[in-house]
Amino acid sequence: MTLPTSRLLLVLVGLTLVGRANAADPPSYAKHVEPFLRKYCVECHNPKKARADLELESYRKVLDSKTVVAGKPDDSELLLCVEGKKKPKMPPAKSAQPKPEEIALVRAWIAAGAKDDGMGAGVVLPPVKPRQSLAAPVAAVAYHPGGKLLAAGGHKEVRLIDVAKGEVVASLPGQTDAVSALAFHRDGSRLAVASGATGSAGEVRLYAVKEGQVAAQAERVLLGHTDVVHALAFRPDGKTLATTGYDRLIKMWDLANEKEPRTLKDHSDTVYGLAFSPDGTLLASAAADRAVKVWDVATGKRLYTLGDSTDWLYAVAWSPDGKHVAAGGVDKSIRVWRVDATGGKLVHAAFAHEGAVNGLAYSADGTTLYSMSEDRSVKAWDAAKMAEVKHFDAQPEAVLSFALRPDRKQLALGRYDGALVLLDADSGKVQAQPLPAKPPVPMLNQLTPAHGQRGQTVRVAFAGQHLASVNEVVASMPGLKFKLLDEGRTATLLPVEIAIAADAPVGVVSLSLKGTAGASTLLPFAVDRFAAVAEQEPNDSPTTGQKIALPATIAGSLGKAGDVDFFRFEAKAGQEVGVQVVALGPNFEPVLQLVDDKGRIVVESLNGLLAHTCDKAGTYALGIRDREYRGGTLPYRLHVGDIPIVSSVFPLGLQRGTEAEIQLDGVFLGETKTRRVKAAADAALGTRLPLDVGAALGNPSVVVDEYPELLKPGVTTVRAPFTANGRIHQAGVADTWRFSARKGQRLVVEVNARRLGSPLDSSIEILDGRGQPVPRAVLRSLSKTFTTFRDHDSATTGIRLETWNELTVNDYVYVGSELLRIRALPRNPDDNCEFFAVNNQRVGYLDTTPTHHSNGVPM
């Protein structure tokens, strides 16, 4: 009962194919013309049996045959032969004949323009962008005969690799699509590149090669294949190039002239491999029709077929002695035939891999055969016995292509994941992986401008090398946002907008550029507090100082040793002035001085911060120098204006287990200038307790002490132990603390000032009840010298001496009221004499206190 129904369905389908849904619509190629051709024409006009050299199995073949002229049915040879208006009448008389209404549909289709409405006709797929950038598969590799250069094919590009360095040295961009095959001429003078996409015509470009350099432009483009080209092979004499691919045709191109290639037709499926015999007289081809065919190159005649394989063949190789042909494919085996011009005999058949064999190559001496497989493995075989001698480690991704270097010392493997791996051909050890090409690490040379004011957006330019892959700017401190700009961007220049937050930390930020290969070196970028003003010389004294208006950020530099820069500004009575210096140079220890209009030093600072409230209106000069009077490469940025700074606190500490109110001294601190702090009963002695002062600079803290605290000196005698807290308000003033002691009682008297952040250069003197100094020792002078070069403060461990020829290590030296001991003598006239110190603070002996010493003081 089912058979009649099935036959009825077939009849209905046939009717649908030749019928028309709407008489107003032009006939369809897919619905009307293609079924007509398959029914009456394709039996004799197909790739395997192309009578009159005519193929009609596809729309493209119909147009290529030139037997159909779109819009002109009376000029279309195919239609005229079918209608019997031109000989020979088609189809032949013994074949089934089309009905008049079927022929009418073909005529109407040609008259309507002979358009293709088959699968994919007129369909435009939207571009689908990958979610992440992926390297193109390396589907073709080839060594230059010299062995120093390797070509690797990717997507629309060929990369040229220096195999000694394992680096990409050049590329051939602009290929039509994926590169599917590569071949170097045997003498190295040419490189053939095949590229194309499935379903579209493939092309082969020929590039000249001279002294190992491949020309940037192709000297010739070979067009003739209607689909992807899978294999290329130069004839040993270099006069012919063989190409083949998905269209099943083998084309022999005469490289000496531009004439049409000779075409070899006999394979019934895609041809994947080509190999010339060493003498160039024979050509072997391997195809998906399970056959290896051997051709006479001179005549183009197929001599014989090696049909022992049981599935598609992907690879073929000819032994260097010309006596054997090896082939492999989907049946996972390698077969070797002994061949000559008359025929071939199978001599080896070896099960080779767990996957299809898709690559074969003989070593130059013919003793080793290398195979590549879809199972991601590569093997080496004894060619005479077809016995496995080396199984290389499996690759992490499918291997699409491989090549053996002419000296047999290296294998190149191209993988699906875009990797190109170079292996030692004996050990299998990875020597290099040139692809995916790793972009070079960005290199920075300059940043312009290298500063910006906070609260503003500034455009800067990074100059350097390899900046094309940069995708991020990294800062060492918060408060900066970056926007990479495309306008004006090159591989050596990167424009960037930097948005600086209003509360960004003032100072030097280290910036680096980060790309796919890593981060660059660092360049400094100064975040300024105020609008920048450039320093102008001469400004070496308070009276010649450069005039500035507050607030300002001054960009300057100490140009030479001994240089001092001054900047003059006007201030009102009671005006607060905050100063912050950012030292940019190495080993720069800034010293700040504020000088009034009479040339007197009002305040001095060694910690990079200066705070002062002007007691009268007038002109003030702010000076900056290096502590050691160095210069030459000491740039700075000097911020002067409304900067909140804590210059000192009082008292400097408190007894543990107690609570105290600490007074803050400084400028722009607001209404509240005290902070309460509490020391735990178990706090460790000497612990520093930080004070919360918000955005103010200075980082003030107090120390935890053991003894009761005294806040005011006076005539009242106190009993030790105790901690006295005092303040020196003006020059020449000394605080006196009276305490009682027993005869023979041993007491330690120590003053902490600078160690706790006070600017006081302290000195202690022990007096008796009558106010006279208590003697400790009698010193007798044996030699005399002087301080020289500069002033020296109370902390510096080194002091420059005028002469030292009478001194030796461990000698005592008395200067002012300070007794020092020599640790190391100067090594040359420009060196300091070093004295013993603790924690980098100079030590005074016999209860003397290190103090400031001016230039020229006797020692």
Side-chain angles (χ1 to χ4, degrees), residues 127-160:
V128 179
K129 296 182 178 179
R131 294 183 178 180
Q132 60 183 10
S133 178
L134 297 175
V138 182
V141 289
Y143 279 99
H144 185 272
K148 297 180 179 180
L149 190 68
L150 174 69
H155 182 65
K156 296 186 177 182
E157 184 178 23
V158 176
R159 305 284 183 90
L160 300 171

PDB file of all heavy atoms in Angstrom, residues 127-160:
ATOM      1  N   PRO A 127      28.073  40.989   9.613  1.00  0.00           N
ATOM      2  CA  PRO A 127      29.378  40.697  10.211  1.00  0.00           C
ATOM      3  C   PRO A 127      29.224  40.256  11.657  1.00  0.00           C
ATOM      4  O   PRO A 127      28.485  40.862  12.426  1.00  0.00           O
ATOM      5  CB  PRO A 127      30.131  42.041  10.108  1.00  0.00           C
ATOM      6  CG  PRO A 127      29.046  43.068  10.017  1.00  0.00           C
ATOM      7  CD  PRO A 127      27.916  42.423   9.292  1.00  0.00           C
ATOM      8  N   VAL A 128      29.900  39.185  12.007  1.00  0.00           N
ATOM      9  CA  VAL A 128      29.873  38.678  13.373  1.00  0.00           C
ATOM     10  C   VAL A 128      31.279  38.854  13.960  1.00  0.00           C
ATOM     11  O   VAL A 128      32.224  38.186  13.539  1.00  0.00           O
ATOM     12  CB  VAL A 128      29.464  37.195  13.414  1.00  0.00           C
ATOM     13  CG1 VAL A 128      29.457  36.686  14.852  1.00  0.00           C
ATOM     14  CG2 VAL A 128      28.089  37.017  12.772  1.00  0.00           C
ATOM     15  N   LYS A 129      31.398  39.763  14.894  1.00  0.00           N
ATOM     16  CA  LYS A 129      32.696  40.043  15.472  1.00  0.00           C
ATOM     17  C   LYS A 129      32.963  39.084  16.634  1.00  0.00           C
ATOM     18  O   LYS A 129      32.071  38.818  17.444  1.00  0.00           O
ATOM     19  CB  LYS A 129      32.755  41.489  15.979  1.00  0.00           C
ATOM     20  CG  LYS A 129      32.631  42.520  14.874  1.00  0.00           C
ATOM     21  CD  LYS A 129      32.753  43.925  15.442  1.00  0.00           C
ATOM     22  CE  LYS A 129      32.668  44.962  14.325  1.00  0.00           C
ATOM     23  NZ  LYS A 129      32.770  46.340  14.843  1.00  0.00           N
ATOM     24  N   PRO A 130      34.171  38.552  16.728  1.00  0.00           N
ATOM     25  CA  PRO A 130      34.488  37.653  17.846  1.00  0.00           C
ATOM     26  C   PRO A 130      34.513  38.416  19.166  1.00  0.00           C
ATOM     27  O   PRO A 130      34.766  39.618  19.204  1.00  0.00           O
ATOM     28  CB  PRO A 130      35.894  37.135  17.489  1.00  0.00           C
ATOM     29  CG  PRO A 130      36.471  38.187  16.607  1.00  0.00           C
ATOM     30  CD  PRO A 130      35.310  38.757  15.832  1.00  0.00           C
ATOM     31  N   ARG A 131      34.212  37.702  20.228  1.00  0.00           N
ATOM     32  CA  ARG A 131      34.214  38.339  21.547  1.00  0.00           C
ATOM     33  C   ARG A 131      35.619  38.686  21.998  1.00  0.00           C
ATOM     34  O   ARG A 131      35.814  39.592  22.797  1.00  0.00           O
ATOM     35  CB  ARG A 131      33.556  37.413  22.572  1.00  0.00           C
ATOM     36  CG  ARG A 131      32.065  37.192  22.304  1.00  0.00           C
ATOM     37  CD  ARG A 131      31.449  36.329  23.388  1.00  0.00           C
ATOM     38  NE  ARG A 131      30.022  36.151  23.170  1.00  0.00           N
ATOM     39  CZ  ARG A 131      29.230  35.431  23.972  1.00  0.00           C
ATOM     40  NH1 ARG A 131      29.751  34.820  25.024  1.00  0.00           N
ATOM     41  NH2 ARG A 131      27.953  35.312  23.696  1.00  0.00           N
ATOM     42  N   GLN A 132      36.590  37.967  21.532  1.00  0.00           N
ATOM     43  CA  GLN A 132      37.974  38.280  21.850  1.00  0.00           C
ATOM     44  C   GLN A 132      38.842  38.008  20.628  1.00  0.00           C
ATOM     45  O   GLN A 132      38.474  37.248  19.749  1.00  0.00           O
ATOM     46  CB  GLN A 132      38.465  37.452  23.035  1.00  0.00           C
ATOM     47  CG  GLN A 132      38.415  35.954  22.792  1.00  0.00           C
ATOM     48  CD  GLN A 132      38.843  35.168  24.026  1.00  0.00           C
ATOM     49  OE1 GLN A 132      38.997  35.732  25.090  1.00  0.00           O
ATOM     50  NE2 GLN A 132      39.046  33.883  23.878  1.00  0.00           N
ATOM     51  N   SER A 133      39.980  38.684  20.597  1.00  0.00           N
ATOM     52  CA  SER A 133      40.875  38.555  19.456  1.00  0.00           C
ATOM     53  C   SER A 133      41.563  37.198  19.486  1.00  0.00           C
ATOM     54  O   SER A 133      42.138  36.803  20.500  1.00  0.00           O
ATOM     55  CB  SER A 133      41.918  39.678  19.494  1.00  0.00           C
ATOM     56  OG  SER A 133      42.826  39.556  18.438  1.00  0.00           O
ATOM     57  N   LEU A 134      41.466  36.463  18.374  1.00  0.00           N
ATOM     58  CA  LEU A 134      42.082  35.150  18.285  1.00  0.00           C
ATOM     59  C   LEU A 134      43.087  35.131  17.134  1.00  0.00           C
ATOM     60  O   LEU A 134      42.877  35.756  16.098  1.00  0.00           O
ATOM     61  CB  LEU A 134      41.023  34.074  18.055  1.00  0.00           C
ATOM     62  CG  LEU A 134      39.977  33.896  19.159  1.00  0.00           C
ATOM     63  CD1 LEU A 134      38.931  32.879  18.731  1.00  0.00           C
ATOM     64  CD2 LEU A 134      40.625  33.470  20.465  1.00  0.00           C
ATOM     65  N   ALA A 135      44.153  34.407  17.332  1.00  0.00           N
ATOM     66  CA  ALA A 135      45.167  34.286  16.278  1.00  0.00           C
ATOM     67  C   ALA A 135      44.629  33.400  15.160  1.00  0.00           C
ATOM     68  O   ALA A 135      43.936  32.410  15.392  1.00  0.00           O
ATOM     69  CB  ALA A 135      46.445  33.689  16.855  1.00  0.00           C
ATOM     70  N   ALA A 136      44.946  33.772  13.917  1.00  0.00           N
ATOM     71  CA  ALA A 136      44.493  33.002  12.765  1.00  0.00           C
ATOM     72  C   ALA A 136      45.224  31.671  12.703  1.00  0.00           C
ATOM     73  O   ALA A 136      46.424  31.589  13.000  1.00  0.00           O
ATOM     74  CB  ALA A 136      44.736  33.788  11.482  1.00  0.00           C
ATOM     75  N   PRO A 137      44.544  30.593  12.325  1.00  0.00           N
ATOM     76  CA  PRO A 137      45.212  29.297  12.178  1.00  0.00           C
ATOM     77  C   PRO A 137      46.372  29.372  11.188  1.00  0.00           C
ATOM     78  O   PRO A 137      46.312  30.103  10.197  1.00  0.00           O
ATOM     79  CB  PRO A 137      44.094  28.389  11.650  1.00  0.00           C
ATOM     80  CG  PRO A 137      42.827  29.039  12.103  1.00  0.00           C
ATOM     81  CD  PRO A 137      43.090  30.516  12.069  1.00  0.00           C
ATOM     82  N   VAL A 138      47.416  28.633  11.466  1.00  0.00           N
ATOM     83  CA  VAL A 138      48.581  28.570  10.574  1.00  0.00           C
ATOM     84  C   VAL A 138      48.413  27.312   9.728  1.00  0.00           C
ATOM     85  O   VAL A 138      48.791  26.216  10.133  1.00  0.00           O
ATOM     86  CB  VAL A 138      49.892  28.541  11.368  1.00  0.00           C
ATOM     87  CG1 VAL A 138      51.090  28.514  10.413  1.00  0.00           C
ATOM     88  CG2 VAL A 138      49.983  29.747  12.296  1.00  0.00           C
ATOM     89  N   ALA A 139      47.814  27.484   8.528  1.00  0.00           N
ATOM     90  CA  ALA A 139      47.453  26.350   7.688  1.00  0.00           C
ATOM     91  C   ALA A 139      48.511  26.014   6.651  1.00  0.00           C
ATOM     92  O   ALA A 139      48.343  25.044   5.906  1.00  0.00           O
ATOM     93  CB  ALA A 139      46.118  26.624   6.989  1.00  0.00           C
ATOM     94  N   ALA A 140      49.589  26.791   6.585  1.00  0.00           N
ATOM     95  CA  ALA A 140      50.632  26.511   5.592  1.00  0.00           C
ATOM     96  C   ALA A 140      51.966  27.024   6.104  1.00  0.00           C
ATOM     97  O   ALA A 140      52.035  28.135   6.647  1.00  0.00           O
ATOM     98  CB  ALA A 140      50.294  27.179   4.257  1.00  0.00           C
ATOM     99  N   VAL A 141      53.012  26.217   5.938  1.00  0.00           N
ATOM    100  CA  VAL A 141      54.373  26.626   6.291  1.00  0.00           C
ATOM    101  C   VAL A 141      55.325  26.104   5.220  1.00  0.00           C
ATOM    102  O   VAL A 141      55.071  25.078   4.589  1.00  0.00           O
ATOM    103  CB  VAL A 141      54.804  26.096   7.679  1.00  0.00           C
ATOM    104  CG1 VAL A 141      54.057  26.805   8.792  1.00  0.00           C
ATOM    105  CG2 VAL A 141      54.613  24.600   7.779  1.00  0.00           C
ATOM    106  N   ALA A 142      56.428  26.842   5.025  1.00  0.00           N
ATOM    107  CA  ALA A 142      57.436  26.418   4.044  1.00  0.00           C
ATOM    108  C   ALA A 142      58.767  27.058   4.384  1.00  0.00           C
ATOM    109  O   ALA A 142      58.821  28.254   4.701  1.00  0.00           O
ATOM    110  CB  ALA A 142      57.010  26.804   2.624  1.00  0.00           C
ATOM    111  N   TYR A 143      59.837  26.245   4.331  1.00  0.00           N
ATOM    112  CA  TYR A 143      61.193  26.747   4.560  1.00  0.00           C
ATOM    113  C   TYR A 143      61.804  27.222   3.251  1.00  0.00           C
ATOM    114  O   TYR A 143      61.615  26.598   2.197  1.00  0.00           O
ATOM    115  CB  TYR A 143      62.092  25.654   5.131  1.00  0.00           C
ATOM    116  CG  TYR A 143      61.947  25.435   6.619  1.00  0.00           C
ATOM    117  CD1 TYR A 143      61.165  24.390   7.112  1.00  0.00           C
ATOM    118  CD2 TYR A 143      62.601  26.247   7.527  1.00  0.00           C
ATOM    119  CE1 TYR A 143      61.052  24.164   8.470  1.00  0.00           C
ATOM    120  CE2 TYR A 143      62.497  26.035   8.888  1.00  0.00           C
ATOM    121  CZ  TYR A 143      61.718  24.994   9.362  1.00  0.00           C
ATOM    122  OH  TYR A 143      61.605  24.783  10.703  1.00  0.00           O
ATOM    123  N   HIS A 144      62.557  28.315   3.329  1.00  0.00           N
ATOM    124  CA  HIS A 144      63.402  28.725   2.211  1.00  0.00           C
ATOM    125  C   HIS A 144      64.516  27.687   2.062  1.00  0.00           C
ATOM    126  O   HIS A 144      64.993  27.138   3.066  1.00  0.00           O
ATOM    127  CB  HIS A 144      63.980  30.114   2.494  1.00  0.00           C
ATOM    128  CG  HIS A 144      64.776  30.691   1.368  1.00  0.00           C
ATOM    129  ND1 HIS A 144      66.132  30.454   1.217  1.00  0.00           N
ATOM    130  CD2 HIS A 144      64.414  31.493   0.327  1.00  0.00           C
ATOM    131  CE1 HIS A 144      66.567  31.083   0.146  1.00  0.00           C
ATOM    132  NE2 HIS A 144      65.544  31.716  -0.418  1.00  0.00           N
ATOM    133  N   PRO A 145      64.938  27.384   0.855  1.00  0.00           N
ATOM    134  CA  PRO A 145      65.991  26.370   0.678  1.00  0.00           C
ATOM    135  C   PRO A 145      67.249  26.666   1.481  1.00  0.00           C
ATOM    136  O   PRO A 145      67.974  25.729   1.833  1.00  0.00           O
ATOM    137  CB  PRO A 145      66.268  26.407  -0.831  1.00  0.00           C
ATOM    138  CG  PRO A 145      64.982  26.879  -1.430  1.00  0.00           C
ATOM    139  CD  PRO A 145      64.419  27.855  -0.449  1.00  0.00           C
ATOM    140  N   GLY A 146      67.522  27.936   1.757  1.00  0.00           N
ATOM    141  CA  GLY A 146      68.700  28.266   2.560  1.00  0.00           C
ATOM    142  C   GLY A 146      68.548  27.900   4.016  1.00  0.00           C
ATOM    143  O   GLY A 146      69.547  27.881   4.758  1.00  0.00           O
ATOM    144  N   GLY A 147      67.332  27.641   4.464  1.00  0.00           N
ATOM    145  CA  GLY A 147      67.085  27.207   5.830  1.00  0.00           C
ATOM    146  C   GLY A 147      67.055  28.300   6.865  1.00  0.00           C
ATOM    147  O   GLY A 147      66.829  28.033   8.040  1.00  0.00           O
ATOM    148  N   LYS A 148      67.273  29.560   6.463  1.00  0.00           N
ATOM    149  CA  LYS A 148      67.305  30.653   7.434  1.00  0.00           C
ATOM    150  C   LYS A 148      65.973  31.384   7.551  1.00  0.00           C
ATOM    151  O   LYS A 148      65.764  32.150   8.488  1.00  0.00           O
ATOM    152  CB  LYS A 148      68.399  31.650   7.064  1.00  0.00           C
ATOM    153  CG  LYS A 148      69.804  31.072   7.088  1.00  0.00           C
ATOM    154  CD  LYS A 148      70.843  32.125   6.719  1.00  0.00           C
ATOM    155  CE  LYS A 148      72.247  31.538   6.759  1.00  0.00           C
ATOM    156  NZ  LYS A 148      73.276  32.559   6.398  1.00  0.00           N
ATOM    157  N   LEU A 149      65.089  31.162   6.589  1.00  0.00           N
ATOM    158  CA  LEU A 149      63.819  31.875   6.543  1.00  0.00           C
ATOM    159  C   LEU A 149      62.669  30.879   6.466  1.00  0.00           C
ATOM    160  O   LEU A 149      62.765  29.872   5.763  1.00  0.00           O
ATOM    161  CB  LEU A 149      63.782  32.811   5.336  1.00  0.00           C
ATOM    162  CG  LEU A 149      62.638  33.819   5.253  1.00  0.00           C
ATOM    163  CD1 LEU A 149      62.771  34.866   6.353  1.00  0.00           C
ATOM    164  CD2 LEU A 149      62.620  34.496   3.883  1.00  0.00           C
ATOM    165  N   LEU A 150      61.604  31.179   7.193  1.00  0.00           N
ATOM    166  CA  LEU A 150      60.417  30.330   7.196  1.00  0.00           C
ATOM    167  C   LEU A 150      59.204  31.195   6.897  1.00  0.00           C
ATOM    168  O   LEU A 150      59.050  32.278   7.465  1.00  0.00           O
ATOM    169  CB  LEU A 150      60.241  29.659   8.556  1.00  0.00           C
ATOM    170  CG  LEU A 150      58.962  28.848   8.773  1.00  0.00           C
ATOM    171  CD1 LEU A 150      58.973  27.598   7.911  1.00  0.00           C
ATOM    172  CD2 LEU A 150      58.799  28.481  10.242  1.00  0.00           C
ATOM    173  N   ALA A 151      58.352  30.730   5.983  1.00  0.00           N
ATOM    174  CA  ALA A 151      57.100  31.424   5.673  1.00  0.00           C
ATOM    175  C   ALA A 151      55.957  30.685   6.346  1.00  0.00           C
ATOM    176  O   ALA A 151      55.899  29.456   6.321  1.00  0.00           O
ATOM    177  CB  ALA A 151      56.877  31.483   4.163  1.00  0.00           C
ATOM    178  N   ALA A 152      55.052  31.461   6.963  1.00  0.00           N
ATOM    179  CA  ALA A 152      53.891  30.883   7.639  1.00  0.00           C
ATOM    180  C   ALA A 152      52.650  31.645   7.223  1.00  0.00           C
ATOM    181  O   ALA A 152      52.614  32.880   7.302  1.00  0.00           O
ATOM    182  CB  ALA A 152      54.073  30.936   9.152  1.00  0.00           C
ATOM    183  N   GLY A 153      51.631  30.916   6.783  1.00  0.00           N
ATOM    184  CA  GLY A 153      50.414  31.549   6.285  1.00  0.00           C
ATOM    185  C   GLY A 153      49.337  31.646   7.335  1.00  0.00           C
ATOM    186  O   GLY A 153      49.083  30.693   8.069  1.00  0.00           O
ATOM    187  N   GLY A 154      48.695  32.822   7.414  1.00  0.00           N
ATOM    188  CA  GLY A 154      47.577  33.050   8.317  1.00  0.00           C
ATOM    189  C   GLY A 154      46.399  33.619   7.568  1.00  0.00           C
ATOM    190  O   GLY A 154      46.177  33.298   6.397  1.00  0.00           O
ATOM    191  N   HIS A 155      45.655  34.503   8.208  1.00  0.00           N
ATOM    192  CA  HIS A 155      44.484  35.109   7.573  1.00  0.00           C
ATOM    193  C   HIS A 155      44.907  36.362   6.809  1.00  0.00           C
ATOM    194  O   HIS A 155      45.315  37.358   7.403  1.00  0.00           O
ATOM    195  CB  HIS A 155      43.449  35.468   8.629  1.00  0.00           C
ATOM    196  CG  HIS A 155      42.189  36.063   8.056  1.00  0.00           C
ATOM    197  ND1 HIS A 155      41.345  35.351   7.236  1.00  0.00           N
ATOM    198  CD2 HIS A 155      41.655  37.310   8.165  1.00  0.00           C
ATOM    199  CE1 HIS A 155      40.336  36.121   6.872  1.00  0.00           C
ATOM    200  NE2 HIS A 155      40.497  37.308   7.428  1.00  0.00           N
ATOM    201  N   LYS A 156      44.866  36.286   5.496  1.00  0.00           N
ATOM    202  CA  LYS A 156      45.196  37.399   4.616  1.00  0.00           C
ATOM    203  C   LYS A 156      46.628  37.898   4.795  1.00  0.00           C
ATOM    204  O   LYS A 156      46.935  39.031   4.444  1.00  0.00           O
ATOM    205  CB  LYS A 156      44.219  38.567   4.830  1.00  0.00           C
ATOM    206  CG  LYS A 156      42.781  38.238   4.461  1.00  0.00           C
ATOM    207  CD  LYS A 156      41.885  39.473   4.541  1.00  0.00           C
ATOM    208  CE  LYS A 156      40.472  39.142   4.107  1.00  0.00           C
ATOM    209  NZ  LYS A 156      39.589  40.322   4.125  1.00  0.00           N
ATOM    210  N   GLU A 157      47.511  37.047   5.305  1.00  0.00           N
ATOM    211  CA  GLU A 157      48.874  37.511   5.562  1.00  0.00           C
ATOM    212  C   GLU A 157      49.829  36.324   5.629  1.00  0.00           C
ATOM    213  O   GLU A 157      49.474  35.234   6.066  1.00  0.00           O
ATOM    214  CB  GLU A 157      48.911  38.282   6.886  1.00  0.00           C
ATOM    215  CG  GLU A 157      50.257  38.894   7.208  1.00  0.00           C
ATOM    216  CD  GLU A 157      50.233  39.686   8.510  1.00  0.00           C
ATOM    217  OE1 GLU A 157      49.341  39.386   9.341  1.00  0.00           O
ATOM    218  OE2 GLU A 157      51.073  40.560   8.691  1.00  0.00           O
ATOM    219  N   VAL A 158      51.057  36.570   5.150  1.00  0.00           N
ATOM    220  CA  VAL A 158      52.141  35.611   5.304  1.00  0.00           C
ATOM    221  C   VAL A 158      53.180  36.241   6.219  1.00  0.00           C
ATOM    222  O   VAL A 158      53.617  37.379   5.986  1.00  0.00           O
ATOM    223  CB  VAL A 158      52.782  35.246   3.945  1.00  0.00           C
ATOM    224  CG1 VAL A 158      53.971  34.306   4.154  1.00  0.00           C
ATOM    225  CG2 VAL A 158      51.755  34.609   3.032  1.00  0.00           C
ATOM    226  N   ARG A 159      53.557  35.544   7.269  1.00  0.00           N
ATOM    227  CA  ARG A 159      54.608  36.014   8.166  1.00  0.00           C
ATOM    228  C   ARG A 159      55.922  35.351   7.778  1.00  0.00           C
ATOM    229  O   ARG A 159      55.958  34.134   7.505  1.00  0.00           O
ATOM    230  CB  ARG A 159      54.276  35.664   9.613  1.00  0.00           C
ATOM    231  CG  ARG A 159      52.917  36.176  10.093  1.00  0.00           C
ATOM    232  CD  ARG A 159      52.926  37.655  10.393  1.00  0.00           C
ATOM    233  NE  ARG A 159      51.646  38.089  10.922  1.00  0.00           N
ATOM    234  CZ  ARG A 159      51.322  38.101  12.215  1.00  0.00           C
ATOM    235  NH1 ARG A 159      52.198  37.684  13.101  1.00  0.00           N
ATOM    236  NH2 ARG A 159      50.137  38.525  12.600  1.00  0.00           N
ATOM    237  N   LEU A 160      56.994  36.132   7.758  1.00  0.00           N
ATOM    238  CA  LEU A 160      58.324  35.629   7.437  1.00  0.00           C
ATOM    239  C   LEU A 160      59.148  35.625   8.715  1.00  0.00           C
ATOM    240  O   LEU A 160      59.276  36.649   9.397  1.00  0.00           O
ATOM    241  CB  LEU A 160      58.971  36.506   6.364  1.00  0.00           C
ATOM    242  CG  LEU A 160      58.176  36.565   5.040  1.00  0.00           C
ATOM    243  CD1 LEU A 160      58.766  37.608   4.118  1.00  0.00           C
ATOM    244  CD2 LEU A 160      58.141  35.205   4.367  1.00  0.00           C
TER     245      LEU A 160
END
